[in-house]
Amino acid sequence: KRYEDALRDGDRIAGLIMGVGLSNDVGGSLLAPNTVGQLRAMRQAYQQAGWSPSQVDYVECHATGTPTGDPIETASLKALWGERGWSAGQCALGSVKSNVGHMLTAAGAAGLIKLLLAFEKKTLPPTANFSKPNPQLGLDGSPFRVQAVAQPWQARDDRPRRAAISAFGFGGINAHVLLEQEGA
């Protein structure tokens, strides 16, 4: 719903969509993700929001747990964030799929609900059954860490909590959405 309409109607606002990026891998395989297409969607969302990637506290990843998909997704995130301008481990990563499995076309909605509840509870949600990252992800020394336990989500730099959510579908459909907690 448009923000002005939600305010007018007295709705409870769980979060604000600040940027949306959509793309297609063009020429990719049905089941193999592509960094170029993912980055196109991500960059579009950040440009629309006017944000720097380092302003995001949490990324709700697509994270299917596949040997190909997860390393490509983290490579895309690392390329987006670049080589500097961040602290190691500053951004938490998670995926609702660790809780409910891959719900196919409902996976994005489940991740969005998880993210909005995290805003409401002011809590970084843990990744179920996580013990150690796949070494192929290359998280050591990167801006990212897998959120292993629930912890308070502190707002940074006098701004609302910010998060991103990715959904990468069959045939190279890529979506990346940036959200902010309203009135945090």
Side-chain angles (χ1 to χ4, degrees):
K1 194 175 208 179
R2 290 186 318 200
Y3 184 65
E4 295 78 19
D5 294 343
L7 288 176
R8 180 197 66 220
D9 296 343
D11 294 338
R12 185 175 72 87
I13 300 170
L16 303 172
I17 296 172
M18 304 303 288
V20 175
L22 303 170
S23 72
N24 189 283
D25 289 346
V26 184
S29 117
L30 178 66
L31 299 175
N34 177 292
T35 297
V36 173
Q38 291 178 2
L39 279 168
R40 197 175 312 118
M42 290 174 179
R43 288 180 177 133
Q44 186 180 59
Y46 283 93
Q47 182 178 17
Q48 188 177 81
W51 292 0
S52 160
S54 65
Q55 293 175 306
V56 168
D57 308 313
Y58 177 82
V59 177
E60 177 66 18
C61 295
H62 184 69
T64 57
T66 63
T68 302
D70 291 359
I72 288 175
E73 183 172 2
T74 54
S76 297
L77 286 167
K78 289 190 292 187
L80 178 73
W81 282 57
E83 297 294 321
R84 59 189 170 278
W86 45 263
S87 302
Q90 80 176 53
C91 183
L93 302 178
S95 175
V96 73
K97 290 175 188 76
S98 70
N99 301 95
V100 298
H102 197 320
M103 300 169 64
L104 299 175
T105 56
L112 178 61
I113 291 167
K114 175 186 168 189
L115 184 53
L116 294 174
L117 287 170
F119 279 166
E120 180 181 312
K121 302 295 183 188
K122 299 178 180 158
T123 301
L124 290 166
T127 300
N129 303 309
F130 175 78
S131 59
K132 62 181 180 172
N134 175 343
Q136 289 182 310
L137 301 181
L139 296 180
D140 290 341
S142 81
F144 308 107
R145 69 183 190 285
V146 176
Q147 189 64 37
V149 298
Q151 72 181 80
W153 186 346
Q154 303 299 326
R156 292 190 293 141
D157 305 324
D158 296 322
R159 62 158 175 73
R161 289 166 190 80
R162 290 183 171 170
I165 182 170
S166 292
F168 306 131
F170 291 121
I173 305 299
N174 304 300
H176 193 72
V177 179
L178 302 175
L179 294 117
E180 184 172 270
Q181 184 176 20
E182 201 269 340

